[in-house]
Amino acid sequence: MIAARGLIARGAALTVEDFHLDPPGPGEIEVEIGAAGVCHSDLSMVNGTLAPSFPLVLGHEAAGTVITAGPGTDRVRAGDRVVLNWAPPCRACWFCTHGEPWLCERAGASSTPRGALPDGTPLHVTLGLGALATRVVIPARAAVPVPDALSFADAALLGCAVLTGFGAVRNTAAVRPGESVVVIGLGGVGLSVVGAARAAGAGPIVAVDVSPEKEKLALAAGATDFLVSDDALSRGIRGLTGGRGADVVFECVGRAATIRSAYRGARRGGRVTVVGMGARSDTVEFSALELFHSGRTLRGCVYGSADFDVEIPRLAAAVLDGSLDLRPLVTHHATLSDAPAAFDRMSRGEGARTVVTL
């Protein structure tokens, strides 16, 4: 048995507890976690947005060191520094064989059975990982090696916030130089979208959030303008985009109301990309006429529409050569015992990413 300690949810109640994991089997590896980010998707596991099984080890944005590898594992080896993938593609289903591994039909379950509490109670892990913990046992295909020079904190951010944000800009929306961009919702993913839009040569880049305190974060990440989300948002966006609305709008919240705001903020013929993950019951309505008349394109973005195995090494190289600065994404650092407070801050809309060092 592998002894571990992690952040465990029983519904909305969060506690740091000991648990144990079975050693890695064929095609699996054991990873000692170095750092993990606290993502809004983790909050969605405990606030009713999603419906995982409990008790649940939280966390899915992480990096660490391979400790042991099970039989038949040659993708990584003991000692490798790796970034974890919460939706590792099977490479065999229809989506994987047609160039869309981010939509793999065998990946992305909200919770997976793995491990047990000291009293024998079965545990589940978030998105196949449960990475807000000292150790994880995962499929080898869920890990991609990165250089040892990349810090655990930076490597962890690549695994969700950065890949999702940069992928949304580069892959899903394919933002072109000079296009106007609006980003609604300025958590870690939203700020990553802002940075990616700047790197793509977009402008203006209008950042939007309900919290005025997010303005400094947005400008540091690369936004040219900031608007508070209110009833006058569409008018404010038009005032910064020649009266037309934005070429591209990114919704990074995952709520029907903000999706509608994103749609209204785009120009005729513009593109709206929904990056935020919302609840099944939160429905969005459009009239048949507005869909026809606006000419806008509305599409979802899963995990940055990116091939993890290809993009993570590229992003790691960009961090190491200085062309990708992740500092604007992080507002708090914490230990595992402080992780519940990070969820409280996130539920209040405060700050951006908290990185937990293990």
Side-chain angles (χ1 to χ4, degrees):
M1 291 292 181
I2 298 169
R5 188 168 177 82
L7 184 64
I8 295 177
R10 292 175 174 81
L14 307 182
T15 54
V16 177
E17 301 180 43
D18 295 325
F19 62 96
H20 64 259
L21 299 164
D22 290 331
E28 295 182 331
I29 57 174
E30 175 192 354
V31 178
E32 180 180 61
I33 299 299
V38 179
C39 176
H40 200 276
S41 295
D42 293 311
L43 181 62
S44 296
M45 298 289 170
V46 300
N47 68 5
T49 300
L50 299 176
S53 298
F54 297 103
L56 177 72
V57 185
L58 294 168
H60 65 280
E61 180 183 81
T65 303
V66 177
I67 302 301
T68 57
T73 302
D74 56 10
R75 177 184 173 92
V76 295
R77 58 188 177 182
D80 282 350
R81 181 166 299 204
V82 292
V83 178
L84 306 192
N85 180 352
W86 55 261
C90 70
R91 303 294 180 183
C93 72
W94 188 93
F95 294 100
C96 286
T97 58
H98 286 75
E100 296 180 331
W102 55 92
L103 299 179
C104 177
E105 63 188 33
R106 299 186 178 96
S110 60
S111 60
T112 303
R114 189 179 289 274
L117 293 171
D119 65 2
T121 301
L123 272 176
H124 294 77
V125 295
T126 297
L127 294 169
L129 300 179
L132 277 166
T134 55
R135 299 288 176 103
V136 298
V137 174
I138 60 174
R141 68 178 189 277
V144 169
V146 292
D148 289 345
L150 187 67
S151 72
F152 284 125
D154 285 346
L157 293 173
L158 297 186
C160 187
V162 177
L163 180 66
T164 300
F166 271 74
V169 171
R170 293 175 177 175
N171 304 327
T172 314
V175 173
R176 298 181 291 271
E179 288 194 306
S180 55
V181 166
V182 170
V183 183
I184 301 176
L186 300 176
V189 171
L191 291 172
S192 179
V193 170
V194 170
R198 178 182 63 179
I205 302 169
V206 183
V208 178
D209 200 275
V210 294
S211 173
E213 288 72 28
K214 294 290 184 76
E215 181 173 8
K216 288 184 179 180
L217 295 174
L219 297 178
T224 59
D225 302 274
F226 177 84
L227 294 173
V228 173
S229 183
D230 57 22
D231 292 340
L233 179 59
S234 296
R235 185 165 61 251
I237 292 172
R238 290 195 299 273
L240 295 169
T241 55
R244 296 179 300 275
D247 296 312
V248 188
V249 183
F250 295 91
E251 195 276 352
C252 301
V253 180
R255 294 179 181 169
T258 45
I259 293 171
R260 283 291 330 187
S261 294
Y263 196 79
R264 288 193 296 267
R267 65 168 175 82
R268 288 189 73 187
R271 310 190 298 283
V272 180
T273 300
V274 178
V275 185
M277 180 173 59
R280 182 188 301 271
S281 60
D282 194 15
T283 57
V284 188
E285 293 187 358
F286 301 92
S287 75
L289 179 60
E290 69 178 321
L291 288 173
F292 165 78
H293 185 261
S294 72
R296 298 175 182 126
T297 300
L298 175 68
R299 66 180 300 185
C301 170
V302 177
Y303 217 171
S305 305
D307 188 326
F308 194 95
D309 293 357
V310 173
E311 295 290 348
I312 290 299
R314 291 175 179 172
L315 291 169
V319 174
L320 291 175
D321 70 21
S323 60
L324 175 55
D325 183 6
L326 303 185
R327 289 174 297 179
L329 306 187
V330 180
T331 54
H332 296 83
H333 293 269
T335 63
L336 186 59
S337 61
D338 298 325
F343 280 76
D344 292 337
R345 285 193 298 271
M346 191 160 47
S347 65
R348 295 192 298 267
E350 298 174 3
R353 266 300 188 269
T354 294
V355 174
V356 175
T357 302
L358 292 111

